[in-house]
Amino acid sequence: MSMNRIILLMLLLFIIEGAIMPWIIPAGFGSRIIPHFVFVAVVFAALYSGRHRALLLGVSFGMLQDVVYFGHLIGAHAFIMGLIGYFTGMLLERRRATLMMAVSIIGMACILYDTAIFFIYRVFRITSETYAWALLEHILPSLFLQLAFALACYVPARRLFEAQTKANPETEEE
Amino acid sequence: MIELFKLMRNKRMFMLMIGFILFIAVIGFSLSDRKELTWPEKFLKDTAAYVQQWFYKPAGYIAGFFEDIRNLRIVYEENEQLRLTAAAYARDKIEYNFVEKENKRLKEELSFTERQKEMYNYNYLIAQVVSVSNDANNRSLTINLGSKNGVRPNMAVTTIDGLIGLVSAVTPFTSTVTPITELDEASPTFNSIAVTILGREDDSFGILSSYNKETSRLLMTKIDEDDKLTVQDTVITSGLGNVYPRGLVVGTVESRQVGDFGLTLTATVELSASFDHLTEVFVVQVPELEDTEQ
């Protein structure tokens, strides 16, 4: 029941970042501020619900994004989202992250995510920009949007994911 | 080597390796030269676009309302300009009618084939943008016309201001537009576009080869050494090769330089279309011609 609700809310986030955010971002900043709300939700899942769930959500929503916005290659978002979700969960799921900690983790994860995606495109010669330029052009400006979103959604997201874990705790093999 | 096997004994490491191999395989599959998408992709894209169109358009209306209020002040100036343009248009229209009639008569006399006559008779399909990709390196747009409406890959897409991109993939009800900003010589997934200069269509020639994101300018290469191209010239597509339609505005020339080997010139072109807050775009349908004339 609760898992269904989480998936539904994340689908809504996915639609918002593709269809509504382009209108909210002021003209001229369209290619600089880029929303990654679904990814923020995956990191929340890793922090408050466990690494396996984060892996599953990351891979499936990453794949959805790859297929729906297919331009050059499929699989990059799925792999990176799943991987970052899993490792964040592995490092931090036992600790109860506070607001400051959660926000800083999300900030770091966003930089890591954008960097990894950038380098995948670099390896396959789809972009030829330098990393320093990409960092200043879109990675750092969009980081602020992600942080604002994480702050705004911290309380409901934490409640949602923690309720989910309490309802049916994952069976850990360790 | 033994170290590696020890690592492999770790289940997590093993899964990571499997995942990585799978990821490379999927990327390899998607990078290969595919003529058509697979059916799960088509289904997912159509479903997503169907839902997204309920959100994109209302959001556009609300945002547009506030923008309109902001624009109220410049309406007077714009009106003045439009009046001048309308007057010029009325003059040109009369001349155009004469020229067109004459052209038609000459074509009849020279007994042009049906194929030659229909070659430049383009059809503009109006389409709504449904969503914009949230990936900085792949800013593809989705529009709500697909193969059922006659859209094919490689068709040009324009706004009122100018060329914005090419259709890269089609599903039955939607298609994906790769913006012209993804143009890159080195990239394995994009073609270059032949262009010319407005007013000197027969004398000028160049190829749009790549877009420099750092300066946000297009690079036009392979221009002849004694080309009379100057700054502020309007660049339009030339339609040579008959893949892309002719006469679509791309932008204005910003500067010209000597090319890499000193034999040709290059020019930087500023795009005339903007990619933010897009609503309606036009897909330019090139008439389907049977090359076999039996």
Side-chain angles (χ1 to χ4, degrees), chain B:
Chain B
M1 208 58 196
I2 292 162
E3 296 274 305
L4 192 72
F5 279 122
K6 264 185 196 157
L7 267 177
M8 281 301 179
R9 219 171 286 160
N10 189 339
K11 202 169 130 201
R12 195 174 286 152
M13 200 63 201
F14 188 66
M15 288 309 283
L16 181 68
M17 284 296 160
I18 296 274
F20 191 70
I21 290 168
L22 210 68
F23 156 69
I24 296 287
V26 170
I27 284 189
F29 165 72
S30 62
L31 263 181
S32 65
D33 193 18
R34 292 189 298 164
K35 290 279 175 295
E36 226 180 310
L37 301 175
T38 53
W39 71 262
E41 281 176 272
K42 284 185 180 171
F43 175 74
L44 252 181
K45 277 184 136 167
D46 278 347
T47 321
Y50 183 71
V51 180
Q52 276 168 333
Q53 69 186 5
W54 301 334
F55 291 84
Y56 193 88
K57 233 177 146 178
Y61 282 135
I62 296 166
F65 177 71
F66 289 109
E67 227 154 76
D68 285 346
I69 292 175
R70 218 179 304 147
N71 287 347
L72 261 182
R73 225 170 289 159
I74 57 167
V75 154
Y76 291 106
E77 285 171 36
E78 206 175 83
N79 206 2
E80 198 79 358
Q81 259 179 11
L82 286 179
R83 227 173 270 168
L84 282 176
T85 323
Y89 170 75
R91 269 198 315 272
D92 288 349
K93 176 76 185 166
I94 298 166
E95 197 167 330
Y96 172 78
N97 282 348
F98 279 118
V99 172
E100 198 197 11
K101 218 171 273 172
E102 171 135 8
N103 198 355
K104 215 173 188 176
R105 187 175 60 80
L106 289 174
K107 275 183 184 173
E108 292 286 330
E109 276 175 16
L110 290 170
S111 59
F112 269 40
T113 60
E114 204 54 35
R115 177 172 178 273
Q116 283 167 320
K117 274 185 212 159
E118 290 297 308
M119 208 149 139
Y120 300 117
N121 193 9
Y122 301 135
N123 189 14
Y124 287 77
L125 301 170
I126 187 161
Q128 294 284 342
V129 176
V130 167
S131 64
V132 183
S133 163
N134 61 332
D135 180 348
N137 302 303
N138 163 30
R139 305 289 297 162
S140 55
L141 315 164
T142 313
I143 56 173
N144 68 349
L145 290 184
S147 57
K148 295 250 175 193
N149 309 89
V151 179
R152 301 273 171 277
N154 267 333
M155 279 183 176
V157 180
T158 71
T159 60
I160 314 162
D161 300 322
L163 183 72
I164 57 164
L166 304 172
V167 173
S168 61
V170 289
T171 66
F173 302 105
T174 64
S175 38
T176 309
V177 180
T178 305
I180 199 170
T181 53
E182 303 279 315
L183 203 65
D184 194 350
E185 252 178 334
S187 159
T189 50
F190 213 93
N191 314 336
S192 352
I193 304 167
V195 288
T196 178
I197 299 295
L198 182 68
R200 285 198 310 278
E201 285 85 354
D202 294 334
D203 303 333
S204 290
F205 174 78
I207 285 179
L208 294 181
S209 57
S210 55
Y211 181 80
N212 189 340
K213 284 186 183 155
E214 301 186 19
T215 55
S216 52
R217 296 289 181 269
L218 268 171
L219 189 68
M220 180 175 160
T221 56
K222 302 201 174 59
I223 308 166
D224 198 72
E225 223 178 347
D226 41 6
D227 203 307
K228 285 194 258 344
L229 169 123
T230 51
V231 175
Q232 289 303 320
D233 278 348
T234 306
V235 178
I236 59 173
T237 57
S238 73
L240 295 173
N242 288 329
V243 179
Y244 307 119
R246 69 173 183 182
L248 303 176
V249 177
V250 176
T252 50
V253 174
E254 204 189 43
S255 66
R256 56 178 268 178
Q257 313 87 26
V258 177
D260 289 341
F261 301 110
L263 296 173
T264 54
L265 299 178
T266 61
T268 50
V269 178
E270 190 183 0
L271 284 179
S272 53
S274 129
F275 291 88
D276 289 330
H277 299 189
L278 289 172
T279 44
E280 280 111 16
V281 295
F282 300 96
V283 183
V284 188
Q285 212 177 14
V286 179
E288 299 218 356
L289 303 165
E290 300 88 64
D291 280 312
T292 48
E293 285 188 16
Q294 283 108 14

